[in-house]
């Protein structure tokens, strides 16, 4: 591990994804990390900050992966929209897929005033802005609407695929998104 902060985050990620966030208390994270509680709080002053950092890291990994995959498609912006649909299906059908970060945060912290729930809303909005920006670059007239529609399709497909892996929700959502994109061109 590069440093103690990263070590704590890796352990917390493993626990959050196998047991759930609320079921993984600070004591379990401390025990699994082999550190003192004071060390955890040195790097993450609260469990909420640790959870938010976990959700941020999970989201950042997704955007880094997708941007790397789309990098060679930037010259043909319409092609990016269709490639995005293929990548979406690929991403949510991997065995490592444990749900969308903002679904995880909002389900475990349903109170809209909770900082984790609030951050989950930010992540959901970030996805919609990302998709709207790609649609705008592709020359879609109402890019904001397409971005929101793609977000709805992708979120729904991801949730169904997470609940019932392998039932084909990812492929159906991808096909629905492609149909919608073609209609928008």
């Amino acid at each position: 591990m590069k440093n103690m902060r990263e070590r704590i985050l890796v352990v917390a990620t493993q626990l959050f994804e196998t047991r759930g966030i609320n079921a993984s208390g600070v004591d379990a994270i401390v025990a699994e990390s082999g550190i003192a509680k004071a060390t955890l709080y040195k790097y993450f002053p609260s469990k909420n900050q640790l959870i938010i950092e976990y959700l941020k890291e999970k989201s950042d990994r997704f955007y880094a992966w997708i941007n790397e995959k789309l990098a060679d498609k930037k010259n043909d912006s319409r092609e990016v929209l269709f490639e995005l649909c293929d990548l979406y299906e690929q991403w949510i059908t991997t065995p490592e897929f444990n749900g969308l970060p903002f679904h995880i945060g909002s389900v475990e912290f349903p109170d809209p005033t909770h900082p984790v729930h609030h951050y989950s809303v930010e992540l959901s909005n970030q996805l919609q802005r990302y998709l709207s920006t790609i649609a705008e670059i592709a020359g879609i007239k109402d890019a904001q609407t397409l971005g929101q529609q793609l977000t709805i399709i992708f979120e729904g497909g991801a949730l169904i695929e997470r609940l019932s892996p392998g039932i084909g929700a990812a492929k159906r959502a991808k096909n629905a998104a492609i149909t919608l994109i073609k209609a928008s061109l």
Side-chain angles (χ1 to χ4, degrees):
M1 297 286 156
K2 289 182 182 176
N3 61 42
M4 187 60 67
R5 184 181 190 286
E6 182 181 317
R7 177 178 169 187
I8 295 166
L9 189 55
V10 166
V11 169
T13 296
Q14 291 168 342
L15 291 173
F16 292 163
E17 293 191 353
T18 57
R19 297 181 187 174
I21 296 172
N22 284 318
S24 301
V26 169
D27 291 337
I29 295 166
V30 165
E32 290 286 325
S33 299
I35 59 169
K37 195 178 282 190
T39 303
L40 183 139
Y41 287 123
K42 174 183 173 186
Y43 294 99
F44 302 97
S46 69
K47 185 179 177 191
N48 286 341
Q49 282 192 294
L50 177 59
I51 295 164
I52 288 170
E53 190 59 34
Y54 153 71
L55 296 173
K56 180 183 183 311
E57 176 72 22
K58 189 173 177 68
S59 182
D60 288 349
R61 278 194 315 266
F62 164 72
Y63 287 111
W65 176 79
I66 205 155
N67 287 331
E68 177 186 326
K69 298 286 187 182
L70 292 176
D72 64 337
K73 303 278 188 212
K74 294 290 183 190
N75 293 334
D76 184 0
S77 55
R78 290 183 180 206
E79 183 61 30
V80 170
L81 283 168
F82 295 109
E83 182 68 17
L84 183 69
C85 295
D86 289 333
L87 292 171
Y88 157 80
E89 179 187 22
Q90 185 181 3
W91 174 57
I92 69 167
T93 56
T94 63
E96 297 82 33
F97 180 72
N98 291 305
L100 298 172
F102 48 88
H103 283 175
I104 295 165
S106 65
V107 167
E108 293 234 18
F109 299 90
D111 178 357
T113 64
H114 194 281
V116 173
H117 185 91
H118 180 73
Y119 186 67
S120 297
V121 171
E122 286 181 37
L123 290 177
S124 178
N125 291 335
Q126 178 185 17
L127 177 62
Q128 187 172 328
R129 283 190 307 272
Y130 181 85
L131 295 172
S132 294
T133 299
I134 290 176
E136 188 175 343
I137 292 168
I140 301 299
K141 196 176 254 185
D142 191 356
Q144 297 296 331
T145 297
L146 180 62
Q148 186 178 50
Q149 290 168 329
L150 291 175
T151 302
I152 292 166
I153 291 169
F154 290 164
E155 283 191 40
L159 182 60
I160 293 168
E161 196 68 40
R162 173 75 172 111
L163 295 172
S164 302
I167 66 165
K171 181 163 238 21
R172 288 183 194 94
K174 175 186 100 170
N175 291 339
I178 289 170
T179 300
L180 188 61
I181 292 165
K182 285 179 180 177
S184 299
L185 293 175

